[in-house]
Amino acid sequence: RVVVGTKVDMNHVNWVTAYNMLTGIRFTVSRTNAKIDRELANADFDAKHKFSFDITGNELTPSAKYDFKFKDYAPWVFRHLRAKFQLDPADYLMSLTSKYILSELGSPGKSGSFFYFSRDYKYIIKTIHHAEHKLLRKILREYYAHVERYPNTLISQFYGLHRVKIPYGRKTHFVVMNNLFPPHRDIHQTFDLKGSTIGRNYKEEDLERNPRATLKDLNWLRRNNHFEFGPEKKSLFIEQMKRDVALLQRLKIMDYSLLVGIHDLERGNEENLRDKTLQVFQPGGDGTAEPQVNMLTRTPSKLENARQARQLRQIIKKEKPVPMDKSTSKMPDEMLEERKNFIFYSDDGGFRATHENSQPGEEIYYLGIIDCLTHYGFVKRAEHFWKGMSSDSSLISPIPPEGYGDRFVKFISGITMTKEEQERQAQSGDLL
Ligand code: ATP
Ligand code: CA
Ligand code: CA
């Protein structure tokens, strides 16, 4: 997959912050994991623990490269959430801390948040605003209950909430969550859908310069795109979306979107492009650099091994070896192992299109509801007031949470239909 972003090495402006984030995560997560599991108590949801790191170390914390303070929020709740999302505790730590290598997606939104991918691309660290941080703490009980009731929720999976601060520096709050997009598949098109049309257009002419840009609602409609799910998948998807939106409405949350990555199986992975753009994440020369780990050379070689092993098994069984089709070749399974049991992430990390007769379709959708920590506060109300004066208030994005959610569900449901349904619709349209 074409990796977006720049590696965060010693020369990167956010190197110290990234290093401190990972050091803090490693320490606090191992600290909680080391204890014997127990049931959650009410107080766990409000818990917070503060740690001081310095270069010499002290009886509580090990020595670190820099002086900083780290705050860990509701560690037991997140431990249980990680278990509900079936993450392997050791694996989580490995991904986030075994080497201090992240890549940064240069502030993709207007909000000023920073995004970092773990080196294996499974997790995203997003810096969040203080208001979002407060909101997550406030809704944590409801979020937890929702995940417990609906483990297949499409809402972002939160794995941790923390804060870092360097001396005389500002406080940086951040969450760790699932990367919806797979490490091993090219995403051919990306959309961020809200169900609104105003301001929801990415200029098509800019696509030439930036072919991997995130497109919006109007671009989706212009392409006449659909989620091509047969009746069964369609109802699973829409039912879950409705439950998720109902929660967000109840919590007075808005401005979220459905993030959609589309992998076209016929195009498969454009290996050449991959080779050029997948990066070697490698910390800079401070003497602690680890042996170079190249995600690129490592994964295909595993794939090769798997392919050879399969062919060998087939030869041994005296069967005709089935030629491996690029599009169906599975990458290292462990990458997706923990997501296999979740309906919407079970087809190679995503949710595969189907035809009406339940035959698999040509696309895999990687999707989820993201950016779910904006409360309908007075800022939004002010915005609504001003924008509402000039245009139809049901079309603009900042409408109250009830309306926002209803419009979202209506839009997404309206674009969910099989190829066959679309054809029938087009035909009956022609007849009219
Ligand atoms: P704004 O508030 O201006 O919309 P933001 O900083 O809150 O921006 P998000 O909307 O959360 O940012 O995300 C911005 C982009 O980052 C998304 O369009 C997507 O490309 C990427 N992104 C965010 N969350 C995920 C995720 N869980 N998996 C994969 N990509 C993600
Ligand atoms: Ca957003
Ligand atoms: Ca946001």
Side-chain angles (χ1 to χ4, degrees):
R1 144 148 181 80
V2 179
V3 170
V4 271
T6 40
K7 66 176 178 176
V8 180
D9 62 15
M10 296 273 296
N11 306 314
H12 193 285
V13 280
N14 290 327
W15 160 258
V16 173
T17 309
Y19 173 91
N20 294 346
M21 284 172 164
L22 293 176
T23 306
I25 294 173
R26 168 163 62 188
F27 176 72
T28 53
V29 170
S30 356
R31 186 175 176 270
T32 310
N33 283 353
K35 296 174 186 165
I36 293 170
D37 200 13
R38 59 167 174 79
E39 278 187 13
L40 288 186
N42 210 15
D44 288 322
F45 289 88
D46 306 309
K48 51 183 176 197
H49 304 284
K50 202 167 167 182
F51 302 94
S52 268
F53 288 82
D54 55 46
I55 46 178
T56 49
N58 52 58
E59 73 260 44
L60 205 60
T61 54
S63 73
K65 272 192 195 148
Y66 311 99
D67 289 357
F68 68 97
K69 297 228 172 5
F70 193 87
K71 226 163 168 179
D72 190 20
Y73 295 92
W76 277 96
V77 177
F78 287 104
R79 172 175 165 166
H80 280 230
L81 280 170
R82 291 192 299 270
K84 294 208 180 299
F85 292 126
Q86 301 186 14
L87 302 193
D88 177 66
D91 188 72
Y92 181 70
L93 281 174
M94 278 283 289
S95 303
L96 282 162
T97 61
S98 72
K99 294 185 181 67
Y100 298 117
I101 316 166
L102 294 169
S103 76
E104 182 185 80
L105 185 62
S107 197
K110 291 184 292 260
S111 70
S113 288
F114 286 92
F115 291 78
Y116 301 94
F117 297 106
S118 62
R119 65 186 187 103
D120 58 8
Y121 217 61
K122 281 187 190 174
Y123 308 112
I124 289 186
I125 290 176
K126 179 184 180 182
T127 66
I128 55 173
H129 291 273
H130 189 228
E132 294 178 291
H133 161 86
K134 280 205 302 207
L135 181 69
L136 181 52
R137 293 195 68 204
K138 200 175 113 197
I139 66 166
L140 197 54
R141 277 183 185 81
E142 276 111 316
Y143 175 78
Y144 186 86
H146 188 77
V147 170
E148 201 162 41
R149 189 153 173 214
Y150 308 113
N152 287 303
T153 178
L154 291 158
I155 296 175
S156 288
Q157 302 182 343
F158 293 117
Y159 306 138
L161 173 65
H162 315 279
R163 189 188 90 183
V164 278
K165 186 187 170 301
I166 50 168
Y168 310 107
R170 290 180 47 180
K171 294 165 183 161
T172 304
H173 297 96
F174 62 99
V175 284
V176 187
M177 57 189 184
N178 56 329
N179 180 6
L180 287 169
F181 295 165
H184 63 301
R185 289 273 188 217
D186 281 357
I187 295 296
H188 299 111
Q189 283 187 307
T190 309
F191 293 90
D192 181 286
L193 305 175
K194 291 187 175 176
S196 159
T197 50
I198 294 192
R200 301 296 298 161
N201 186 36
Y202 181 88
K203 272 209 210 129
E204 301 279 349
E205 56 266 35
D206 291 348
L207 257 184
E208 272 173 47
R209 245 189 317 118
N210 187 8
R212 308 264 160 181
T214 302
L215 305 177
K216 298 181 181 172
D217 305 62
L218 285 172
N219 309 90
W220 176 280
L221 294 173
R222 206 173 284 132
R223 280 164 181 70
N224 196 25
N225 271 355
H226 292 86
F227 293 116
E228 295 178 353
F229 298 138
E232 207 175 312
K233 279 190 169 173
K234 174 175 173 165
S235 89
L236 284 171
F237 172 61
I238 290 180
E239 282 317 301
Q240 188 52 51
M241 175 185 54
K242 284 182 177 165
R243 293 173 187 134
D244 291 339
V245 168
L247 172 78
L248 298 172
Q249 286 176 319
R250 203 163 68 235
L251 299 173
K252 306 238 176 313
I253 289 170
M254 47 178 297
D255 238 27
Y256 45 88
S257 42
L258 186 74
L259 182 66
V260 187
I262 304 177
H263 174 80
D264 179 346
L265 287 162
E266 273 159 12
R267 277 170 76 181
N269 283 345
E270 282 139 17
E271 300 288 346
N272 292 335
L273 203 61
R274 269 162 78 79
D275 287 352
K276 265 192 238 108
T277 39
L278 265 175
Q279 300 158 354
V280 181
F281 301 130
Q282 169 73 6
D286 66 333
T288 63
E290 316 249 0
Q292 199 157 303
V293 178
N294 186 338
M295 294 173 52
L296 229 206
T297 53
R298 211 187 66 206
T299 24
S301 75
K302 274 202 181 176
L303 172 68
E304 279 309 315
N305 288 344
R307 198 178 283 173
Q308 281 170 11
R310 197 166 314 145
Q311 288 179 347
L312 207 66
R313 276 198 300 274
Q314 279 161 341
I315 292 166
I316 292 167
K317 281 201 284 179
K318 296 206 175 8
E319 282 174 15
K320 219 168 75 189
V322 181
M324 285 284 291
D325 159 16
K326 214 201 272 179
S327 63
T328 57
S329 60
K330 280 260 176 10
M331 290 307 276
D333 281 339
E334 71 266 25
M335 296 240 186
L336 306 159
E337 202 59 41
E338 66 259 34
R339 297 195 184 166
K340 268 216 311 255
N341 299 325
F342 295 90
I343 298 171
F344 304 111
Y345 309 122
S346 61
D347 299 328
D348 216 7
F351 201 39
R352 186 164 176 177
T354 44
H355 291 286
E356 214 157 64
N357 59 8
S358 300
Q359 286 300 307
E362 292 70 38
E363 271 130 17
I364 302 180
Y365 303 104
Y366 294 90
L367 40 81
I369 302 175
I370 62 155
D371 205 7
C372 315
L373 296 175
T374 308
H375 192 261
Y376 181 64
F378 108 91
V379 181
K380 285 292 163 195
R381 244 169 270 154
E383 205 180 322
H384 182 224
F385 174 74
W386 290 114
K387 287 200 189 169
M389 307 238 284
S390 56
S391 36
D392 178 352
S393 68
S394 72
L395 290 176
I396 57 172
S397 176
I399 57 172
E402 279 295 318
Y404 188 92
D406 291 349
R407 187 184 65 184
F408 183 91
V409 167
K410 194 171 160 217
F411 183 83
I412 304 298
S413 311
I415 55 171
T416 306
M417 64 177 82
T418 54
K419 266 212 167 74
E420 293 79 8
E421 276 176 90
Q422 293 167 49
E423 280 157 15
R424 278 199 303 272
Q425 252 189 24
Q427 270 172 5
S428 66
D430 289 344
L431 290 176
L432 286 175

